[in-house]
Amino acid sequence: MAEAPDLGAAGPRTGFVAIIGRPNVGKSTLLNALVGEHVSITSRKPQTTRVRVLGVLTRGAAPVTTQFIFIDTPGFQRRHRTMLTRRMNESINAALRDADVVVMVIDARGLTAEDRVLLDVLPADRGNVILVLNKTDALADRDQLLPRIAEAAARYPFAAVVPVSAEKRRQLSDLLVEIERRLPAGEPLFEADQFTDRSLRFLAAEAVREKAFRLLGDELPYGIAVTIERWSEDEHRAEIVATLLVDRDAHKGIVIGAGGAKLREIGRLARLDIEKLLGKPVYLQTHVRVRRGWSDDARALAGLGYE
Ligand SMILES: Nc1nc2c(ncn2[C@@H]2O[C@H](COP(=O)(O)OP(=O)(O)OP(=O)(O)O)[C@@H](O)[C@H]2O)c(=O)[nH]1
Ligand SMILES: [Mg+2]
């Protein structure tokens, strides 16, 4: 394993930390746990994250602060091939280019073929790649970790290996220590209280998409995108109109549900999250509209922020 650089004298450190891995290993859950805010949406279905999202954690008091700028990426995958999934894989490459440290996440219960492909395409001279074995809470026996670490380490020269549970927030401080010692010296790029680069509008649209992902059946969510049509707010309340775009006529009714029940529940849960985000009551209206083929349409993708 490579030695961590000794950065010596105390001073501010700031760096980009890319979180990569196959779909569903818990990258977004890990980012949210590290930052302490619900920055990136999560679900038990693969391919939840579509664009890179920054989550910022600033620790220490000025002038000796450390700013971790985490880049959550879509899960690297080769199965579904649309323009959207190509853009998703491209955004992983961009994150790798920008990152000072890379956190590669696998499931502690074992490596899959997709993990192995990703390990094989990661440049071996990349340096500063930390292996995280997530979901240790789901392991029957911690001894199972050792053969998995051995297999991954035989495939890639990791700088460090840290088993964690993002969900139960276990061993996250060990991970932060390993990351921090590899961050370059530098002044913070974000204000200490800023936790993402994304707008409130984007976070609100994602809150709606998260609930749709969680409440709808297995195939449906991949054809769904969310746009914010209207946003008005004063100091006491906000009024937001969100539209769920589906790519097939048949899906519209499923999203709405019997008597509108499904859409109402998506809206109710999303509203609770958005109220937390804005710190005031929110009146959220939701609509469903059919837009065929949006996931293969460059203009539609750009308009939805998937660039
Ligand atoms: N048991 C357990 N489950 C976890 C843990 N971390 C994440 N999960 C679950 O794993 C599922 C996927 O989590 P996400 O954070 O959405 O995974 P992701 O890697 O961001 O997935 P994509 O965005 O689709 O690539 C969710 O159901 C999480 O609740 C963990 O530490 N333990
Ligand atoms: Mg994700």
Side-chain angles (χ1 to χ4, degrees):
M1 281 185 203
E3 272 298 303
D6 180 9
L7 292 164
R13 291 185 191 188
T14 298
F16 287 87
V17 183
I19 303 179
I20 65 165
R22 71 174 165 82
N24 219 28
V25 288
K27 299 177 294 300
S28 300
T29 306
L30 179 64
L31 173 115
N32 292 339
L34 290 169
V35 171
E37 299 278 349
H38 195 71
V39 180
S40 196
I41 69 168
T42 66
S43 86
R44 60 175 182 78
K45 302 191 180 83
Q47 294 172 56
T48 305
T49 305
R50 286 182 180 158
V51 281
R52 52 181 255 169
V53 174
L54 296 188
V56 184
L57 172 66
T58 307
R59 302 218 299 183
V64 196
T65 53
T66 300
Q67 189 160 81
F68 302 78
I69 306 169
F70 295 103
I71 313 173
D72 188 17
T73 62
F76 175 81
Q77 60 94 30
R78 333 198 113 195
R79 261 180 302 178
H80 305 271
R81 287 177 185 276
T82 62
M83 194 181 296
L84 175 64
T85 56
R86 266 207 312 282
R87 297 254 163 107
M88 285 161 68
N89 282 347
E90 280 163 16
S91 83
I92 302 169
N93 289 327
L96 285 174
R97 273 197 305 276
D98 294 345
D100 299 295
V101 177
V102 175
V103 170
M104 156 118 190
V105 185
I106 64 171
D107 189 315
R109 289 167 292 184
L111 284 165
T112 68
E114 272 174 313
D115 294 323
R116 296 189 182 98
V117 170
L118 185 50
L119 285 173
D120 292 342
V121 298
L122 260 188
D125 57 358
R126 180 65 189 59
N128 285 347
V129 183
I130 298 172
L131 176 69
V132 163
L133 296 98
N134 187 31
K135 311 194 185 184
T136 52
D137 58 285
L139 276 181
D141 178 356
R142 272 185 87 83
D143 288 345
Q144 295 171 338
L145 281 173
L146 293 173
R148 270 143 221 176
I149 293 172
E151 184 189 351
R155 281 178 179 266
Y156 193 85
F158 289 104
V161 177
V162 188
V164 307
S165 166
E167 200 161 87
K168 305 268 190 268
R169 298 174 189 233
R170 288 188 199 140
Q171 278 178 281
L172 298 182
S173 52
D174 297 348
L175 176 57
L176 285 174
V177 167
E178 289 295 347
I179 297 169
E180 182 168 22
R181 55 201 288 237
R182 294 177 171 83
L183 290 181
E187 297 292 332
L189 297 177
F190 292 88
E191 297 294 329
D193 60 356
Q194 196 179 346
F195 59 83
T196 184
D197 63 327
R198 290 284 172 173
S199 66
L200 290 171
R201 254 179 122 99
F202 175 85
L203 296 178
E206 287 286 272
V208 176
R209 196 166 66 84
E210 178 178 81
K211 306 316 169 196
F213 246 77
R214 291 183 178 179
L215 294 181
L216 295 169
D218 272 349
E219 279 308 313
L220 207 48
Y222 304 109
I224 288 182
V226 177
T227 60
I228 302 292
E229 311 281 340
R230 209 160 65 81
W231 183 292
S232 63
E233 80 182 281
D234 59 24
E235 49 181 319
H236 303 296
R237 68 197 294 256
E239 280 186 33
I240 300 169
V241 179
T243 298
L244 291 90
L245 297 178
V246 295
D247 58 5
R248 266 178 246 170
D249 293 312
H251 288 170
K252 187 170 171 178
I254 303 175
V255 174
I256 294 171
K262 192 65 104 184
L263 186 60
R264 253 200 317 280
E265 185 63 0
I266 292 170
R268 187 184 70 81
L269 293 170
R271 175 177 56 80
L272 295 175
D273 281 11
I274 300 169
E275 286 182 337
K276 241 184 267 160
L277 200 65
L278 302 183
K280 57 183 147 195
V282 169
Y283 175 69
L284 175 68
Q285 223 181 309
T286 49
H287 302 289
V288 183
R289 208 169 65 213
V290 181
R291 181 152 172 190
R292 267 175 225 93
W294 66 262
S295 66
D296 248 330
D297 173 349
R299 269 197 31 224
L301 290 177
L304 294 165
Y306 298 142
E307 288 198 281

